[in-house]
Amino acid sequence: MNMEEYKNITSILRVPIGSLRREFDSSNFPFETTADLDKMAKEMIGQQRAERAMEFGLSVEQLDYNLFVVGPSGTGRKTYTLDSVDKIAKTREVPNDWCYVFNFDNPDHPLVISLPAGEGQVFQRKIETLLIDIEREFRSTFSSEEYEKKKQVIIDQFRDETEDLWDLAEDFANEQQYNLERTPTGINSYPLYNGKPLERKKYEQLSVEAQEQIAACEKLVDGKIRETLHQIRKLEEQLQKNLEQFMRESAANSIEALFQPLREAYQDYPNILTYLEAYFHDVVVSFSFFLASEEDEQNNIMNALIGSKEQHFHRYTVNLLVNNKHQKGAPVIYETNPTFYNLFGKIEYRGSLGSWVTDFSYIKPGALQLANGGYLILQATELLQQPYVWSLLKRSLQTGYVQIENSLEDRGMVPTSGIKPEPIPLNIKVIIIGSYYLYDLLSAVDDDFHKLFKVKVEFDTVMDRNSENCYKMAMFVKNYAEQEGLLPFHRQAVAKIVDYSSRLVEEQSKLSTRFQDITKLLVEASYWAKKSEAESVDGRHIEQAIAEQIQRTNHASEQIREMIQKGTIMVDTEGFRTGQINGLAVLGTRDSVFGIPTKITAQTFVGKSGIMNIDREASLSGQIHNKGLMILTGFLSGEFAKNRPIPLSASITFEQTYSAIDGDSASSTELYVLLSSLAEVPINQGIAVTGSVNQWGEIQPIGGVNEKIEGFFHICKERGLTGEQGVMIPKQNVANLMLDHEVVEAVNQGKFHIWAIGHIAEGIELLTGVVAGNIRDEFGQYPAGSIFAKVEDRFNTMYEAAKIEKQ
């Protein structure tokens, strides 16, 4: 084609200046600075889908409608979740208090008691007061004169009965001519002779029959003594029982009046009445603990074994596990460290005789207990990093109970004495905040996930760029500036922020909802404005802040550009070369993304191996890149091999790349360089190319279009703009253009160009200046001298050469 035809094509395909960047007109804002705006109530911007899902999930009361808030970080998902939950929680009822008390029937299984909010502390204090009153009443009762009199009556009765038994024994002994004498050391008995004690000498003078008679009587007397002692022991046992019963009855009678008000106050709580009854009987049985003095405590060696008075009294206290007395509405707990114990509670221990022991008073609540009746918010990343926590959380939600247990106590090196508290009924809504990856992972590997988390609250990264959202963006800027003590923002600055937001999402008709990036820009722009002693932040401060951000993070891109300038990385930006083209790639570091040109070369020759991807053979090519090259084979075969096979061998590679290559954004570029090599037509090296291609030769959109254009522009600028350089992009990517002002100005001055391509034929004409000729005539021939005709001629030559070689 001649120069006029070529200029006509370049003009038709050139992207208009107005499409290279969309700029917001600051005059559309009805304010001078954000200080003129009224403060906006907290609301989410551009997340209508998430708002509706959040409202539904928090409002539905049926079980298993827990929420999973999914979306990328920086979209405000955590802030909005906390605000939404706090707002609805204030409208809910305050949940009950929860207490643990001693189980008098089974001490290893403490009992749980639920009371209305604030009543748990009242109950705890009443039980504490009851314990004090019981001790006072016991001391008063057991030290009273009336008690001592009644006790003495029981003892005197025992003594009388004992004396009667001894009298009977003495009478029996007298009948046997024996006398009994009770001494402190025991019972003495001796025979009588004529009413007087028989002396030893006199006994020896007696006849054998008389001596035998005395011995027989002695035997009878000893039997009577044994019988009497046995009866006395039985009386002593009965005395102890009578005294014990009397003391217990005295104890019971003395404290009965103390329990009656409690029974009346909690008559609607059967479990408390049961507890009070057990409490009453245990106190009566253990009344002696209340009477022990401090001196007795210190001298009693058994305290080390059975426990001190203070330890014993622990059983008569109340462990107020959850106190909602000061709670306004339903509780909201945001647990940032969801370890096993932080989430489910724990049982603490104390040392005793080389072992670890515990009781119900050492039970401590976790987030589930504290949030019971309300809302628990967790971060998925932290949650899934904790052993056992996810499975136990599911179990609690499935069963409707939360069990406090020390799951790892069996791994301890020190012996422990454990307890198993009664589980607490669970009525809670769990909200988990996480990424798309974790949501998809749980969906794939856990069958219970969707049963328990039925509400997905999805946060998008973009919103429509309309007047409403732009105004909300201005309101957001105002709120954040006042919250953080920043300078007010001029409407020109806000307009720049709107444009910057569109650049973040690479979409002229969209805005970013990742406000974390926006707030970073606000802080830095305010800094530069204050440094220049400005009263407000204007447009130039926004531009300065963006430039400073780039300068801080562009070290890697500057190094690569420097190597290109020095020729270390070989990239041509002028002239024509056959089988060589400039592709565009996007590279990234932790905090920077930039585009660079990459030389792509191809060689074609006769053979049957097809297109060989050198990078694939070197294991540097990803799956998507391999797919792109297979599409090239499909296109060439569809165009030039419908009636016969192509005897083609070709090699193609990204020159001077030493890391993995992936993506199909260079597939059209690779097709251009193959066509150039096959047609033996040189390509303009001042034009860089990006875009994927399908088997029909249609150009498809890609990502990172702004970075790719700007990357090639900076290389050309540093070498000197010729006015012939530019970038070919897919026409669908025009809507993604938010180019830097410097690039737009260069295009406006004709020093640089952006072309939008829809088909491979348009691109090859622009690159070579030769007509593509991709449409066959009625004889099935491509136009003579066109690129496609030259390629077909080359294939014909290859085919003939292959036939000759075969012969």
Side-chain angles (χ1 to χ4, degrees):
M1 72 175 68
N2 57 41
M3 184 59 66
E4 288 298 324
E5 291 175 327
Y6 182 73
K7 287 182 178 180
N8 185 48
I9 291 174
T10 58
S11 177
I12 293 173
L13 298 177
R14 186 177 290 114
V15 179
I17 294 296
S19 299
L20 298 180
R21 179 182 180 86
R22 182 181 180 183
E23 295 193 338
F24 187 84
D25 186 358
S26 62
S27 64
N28 291 329
F29 283 132
F31 59 86
E32 188 69 20
T33 71
T34 54
D36 302 329
L37 293 170
D38 294 330
K39 191 170 184 180
M40 180 180 67
K42 284 186 178 181
E43 67 171 278
M44 202 65 214
I45 304 175
Q47 300 287 1
Q48 288 78 13
R49 179 187 292 105
E51 289 180 279
R52 288 175 61 86
M54 181 72 74
E55 180 182 3
F56 168 76
L58 294 178
S59 300
V60 68
E61 297 180 357
Q62 277 67 28
L63 295 176
D64 300 336
Y65 275 82
N66 300 294
L67 294 80
F68 196 104
V69 181
V70 61
S73 177
T75 55
R77 57 184 184 173
K78 184 190 82 173
T79 302
Y80 180 69
T81 299
L82 290 171
D83 290 343
S84 299
V85 174
D86 284 336
K87 182 178 179 181
I88 197 169
K90 292 176 181 178
T91 67
R92 304 295 186 185
E93 293 182 359
V94 179
N96 286 355
D97 294 339
W98 292 96
C99 307
Y100 270 110
V101 295
F102 188 76
N103 187 342
F104 295 98
D105 294 327
N106 190 347
D108 289 339
H109 294 274
L111 303 174
V112 69
I113 290 176
S114 177
L115 288 164
E119 291 298 317
Q121 190 176 65
V122 174
F123 179 66
Q124 182 187 47
R125 290 176 179 174
K126 284 183 178 181
I127 296 300
E128 289 175 355
T129 303
L130 176 65
L131 184 62
I132 296 172
D133 291 343
I134 287 172
E135 185 173 13
R136 186 189 66 246
E137 288 294 328
F138 278 172
R139 291 188 180 278
S140 174
T141 298
F142 288 102
S143 63
S144 67
E145 184 177 349
E146 181 182 0
Y147 168 77
E148 290 296 336
K149 287 181 178 179
K150 291 181 178 180
K151 181 179 178 182
Q152 191 61 44
V153 169
I154 297 173
I155 295 174
D156 289 346
Q157 182 181 356
F158 164 74
R159 288 175 178 172
D160 291 343
E161 291 178 355
T162 301
E163 288 300 324
D164 290 343
L165 289 174
W166 282 120
D167 289 345
L168 291 175
E170 288 175 351
D171 291 343
F172 179 81
N174 290 334
E175 291 175 1
Q176 303 301 322
Q177 296 298 309
Y178 260 79
N179 187 44
L180 296 180
E181 186 178 277
R182 286 178 286 171
T183 68
T185 59
I187 306 298
N188 296 327
S189 64
Y190 50 87
L192 297 175
Y193 187 78
N194 296 327
K196 295 181 180 180
L198 180 64
E199 296 179 355
R200 183 69 182 175
K201 183 177 179 181
K202 186 67 175 177
Y203 173 78
E204 292 176 352
Q205 295 174 356
L206 296 175
S207 63
V208 174
E209 293 79 2
Q211 290 181 353
E212 290 177 353
Q213 181 66 32
I214 292 173
C217 291
E218 182 180 12
K219 188 174 182 181
L220 292 173
V221 171
D222 288 342
K224 185 63 176 180
I225 292 173
R226 286 194 297 273
E227 178 185 352
T228 301
L229 290 175
H230 175 70
Q231 290 176 333
I232 291 174
R233 279 196 295 271
K234 291 179 66 176
L235 286 176
E236 287 177 344
E237 292 176 0
Q238 186 62 43
L239 173 64
Q240 292 300 323
K241 290 181 181 179
N242 292 343
L243 285 174
E244 186 74 19
Q245 182 179 357
F246 166 69
M247 296 174 77
R248 289 183 180 181
E249 288 176 354
S250 300
N253 292 333
S254 66
I255 63 174
E256 176 65 29
L258 299 178
F259 280 82
Q260 191 57 34
L262 292 174
R263 295 189 184 105
E264 294 175 359
Y266 297 106
Q267 59 183 342
D268 296 329
Y269 298 90
N271 55 343
I272 295 182
L273 294 179
T274 302
Y275 167 71
L276 290 174
E277 194 65 25
Y279 187 117
F280 177 86
H281 288 294
D282 191 80
V283 166
V284 169
V285 170
S286 306
F287 68 90
S288 59
F289 274 95
F290 293 85
L291 304 177
S293 65
E294 293 184 4
E295 184 178 352
D296 294 335
E297 283 281 306
Q298 295 173 357
N299 296 332
N300 190 352
I301 194 172
M302 292 299 292
N303 285 341
L305 300 175
I306 65 176
S308 65
K309 175 181 177 180
E310 181 181 357
Q311 292 171 356
H312 181 80
F313 278 9
H314 268 303
R315 68 173 61 190
Y316 305 122
T317 59
V318 173
N319 180 1
L320 181 55
L321 192 75
V322 179
N323 182 10
N324 288 317
K325 178 180 180 180
H326 302 291
Q327 182 68 41
K328 305 297 183 183
V332 178
I333 302 296
Y334 176 43
E335 180 54 65
T336 58
N337 184 28
T339 62
F340 180 90
Y341 296 128
N342 286 350
L343 203 58
F344 298 97
K346 63 179 178 179
I347 303 169
E348 295 180 344
Y349 292 86
R350 58 180 173 83
S352 178
L353 298 177
S355 179
W356 292 102
V357 298
T358 187
D359 58 47
F360 75 99
S361 64
Y362 288 90
I363 302 173
K364 304 300 178 183
L368 276 172
Q369 291 85 10
L370 295 174
N372 197 8
Y375 305 87
L376 175 63
I377 303 172
L378 304 167
Q379 289 283 354
T381 303
E382 284 75 14
L383 178 68
L384 297 177
Q385 287 176 346
Q386 304 297 332
Y388 312 112
V389 169
W390 172 248
S391 59
L392 292 176
L393 176 62
K394 289 195 306 175
R395 184 181 70 183
S396 297
L397 294 176
Q398 288 169 336
T399 61
Y401 287 90
V402 56
Q403 177 72 60
I404 301 177
E405 57 187 350
N406 287 353
S407 63
L408 303 179
E409 65 183 9
D410 56 337
R411 302 185 182 185
M413 299 299 293
V414 181
T416 60
S417 172
I419 59 175
K420 189 174 183 180
E422 182 182 1
I424 296 176
L426 187 63
N427 176 25
I428 195 171
K429 193 172 286 289
V430 178
I431 302 100
I432 296 179
I433 303 172
S435 64
Y436 288 107
Y437 169 75
L438 292 179
Y439 180 85
D440 293 339
L441 177 65
L442 290 171
S443 299
V445 303
D446 195 328
D447 293 336
D448 298 323
F449 176 64
H450 284 295
K451 297 177 183 177
L452 297 173
F453 291 85
K454 294 181 178 179
V455 182
K456 178 184 180 184
V457 182
E458 185 172 2
F459 278 71
D460 202 352
T461 57
V462 298
M463 60 182 172
D464 291 335
R465 178 170 169 167
N466 51 39
S467 57
E468 179 185 358
N469 285 338
C470 289
Y471 185 76
K472 286 184 177 180
M473 181 72 77
M475 296 299 297
F476 170 80
V477 172
K478 173 191 172 59
N479 287 357
Y480 188 82
E482 292 184 354
Q483 174 186 325
E484 298 297 324
L486 309 180
L487 291 175
F489 284 72
H490 192 273
R491 62 184 180 183
Q492 292 179 353
V494 179
K496 295 286 184 183
I497 293 169
V498 170
D499 296 339
Y500 175 75
S501 182
S502 292
R503 168 64 187 245
L504 289 176
V505 296
E506 294 192 335
E507 186 79 36
Q508 292 182 359
S509 61
K510 299 290 183 181
L511 295 174
S512 174
T513 59
R514 301 189 68 165
F515 291 100
Q516 178 177 308
D517 298 324
I518 304 296
T519 57
K520 180 181 178 183
L521 179 62
L522 297 181
V523 172
E524 296 181 16
S526 179
Y527 167 81
W528 295 113
K530 288 180 180 178
K531 192 170 184 179
S532 65
E533 299 182 353
E535 295 183 357
S536 62
V537 181
D538 59 23
R540 70 179 185 276
H541 298 128
I542 298 294
E543 292 176 348
Q544 183 179 5
I546 295 173
E548 290 289 340
Q549 285 182 1
I550 295 173
Q551 195 278 332
R552 291 196 302 268
T553 60
N554 68 348
H555 179 66
S557 63
E558 283 187 350
Q559 284 187 316
I560 293 176
R561 275 191 241 158
E562 183 179 352
M563 286 189 286
I564 292 175
Q565 281 297 103
K566 291 180 178 180
T568 305
I569 297 177
M570 295 187 294
V571 174
D572 295 331
T573 56
E574 294 183 62
F576 286 78
R577 293 285 298 272
T578 301
Q580 178 177 306
I581 193 171
N582 287 323
L584 295 172
V586 173
L587 299 181
T589 61
R590 292 180 183 269
D591 51 9
S592 175
V593 176
F594 55 91
I596 61 166
T598 302
K599 182 189 292 185
I600 302 174
T601 60
Q603 292 281 12
T604 53
F605 39 89
V606 179
K608 298 180 180 179
S609 59
I611 301 174
M612 179 184 69
N613 178 6
I614 294 176
D615 298 296
R616 180 178 60 192
E617 298 301 318
S619 299
L620 292 177
S621 178
Q623 294 179 347
I624 299 176
H625 183 230
N626 293 337
K627 175 187 174 182
L629 281 172
M630 294 176 186
I631 289 174
L632 303 189
T633 301
F635 173 79
L636 292 175
S637 298
E639 284 289 338
F640 305 105
K642 290 184 177 179
N643 300 318
R644 62 184 181 183
I646 298 177
L648 170 67
S649 289
S651 63
I652 191 167
T653 188
F654 283 67
E655 301 289 357
Q656 291 185 283
T657 57
Y658 308 103
S659 58
I661 300 169
D662 205 359
D664 64 348
S665 64
S667 58
S668 68
T669 313
E670 292 165 324
L671 181 54
Y672 290 135
V673 77
L674 279 173
L675 293 175
S676 168
S677 179
L678 287 167
E680 298 181 337
V681 175
I683 287 176
N684 186 350
Q685 300 300 295
I687 300 177
V689 181
T690 185
S692 68
V693 67
N694 61 25
Q695 292 189 98
W696 302 105
E698 297 168 333
I699 305 300
Q700 301 172 142
I702 44 80
V705 63
N706 293 296
E707 289 80 5
K708 291 176 179 179
I709 293 173
E710 291 168 359
F712 188 66
F713 169 79
H714 287 301
I715 297 298
C716 295
K717 176 189 172 185
E718 290 170 0
R719 290 185 173 181
L721 295 172
T722 64
E724 302 296 327
Q725 296 151 329
V727 176
M728 284 168 37
I729 65 172
K731 64 181 182 180
Q732 299 94 327
N733 282 120
V734 173
N736 305 114
L737 293 177
M738 286 296 294
L739 293 170
D740 186 76
H741 287 288
E742 185 180 13
V743 179
V744 175
E745 184 60 27
V747 173
N748 189 38
Q749 295 176 6
K751 295 179 180 180
F752 197 74
H753 308 279
I754 312 294
W755 296 281
I757 309 300
H759 192 273
I760 202 75
E762 298 173 347
I764 197 66
E765 289 183 352
L766 189 61
L767 287 166
T768 63
V770 179
V771 174
N774 58 309
I775 300 176
R776 297 179 184 269
D777 59 19
E778 64 272 18
F779 302 106
Q781 301 296 317
Y782 291 115
S786 67
I787 294 291
F788 276 62
K790 292 177 180 292
V791 171
E792 187 159 69
D793 289 343
R794 179 77 183 278
F795 280 142
N796 290 336
T797 303
M798 288 180 173
Y799 184 75
E800 294 299 326
K803 284 175 59 178
I804 294 173
E805 182 181 353
K806 187 175 182 180
Q807 292 175 355

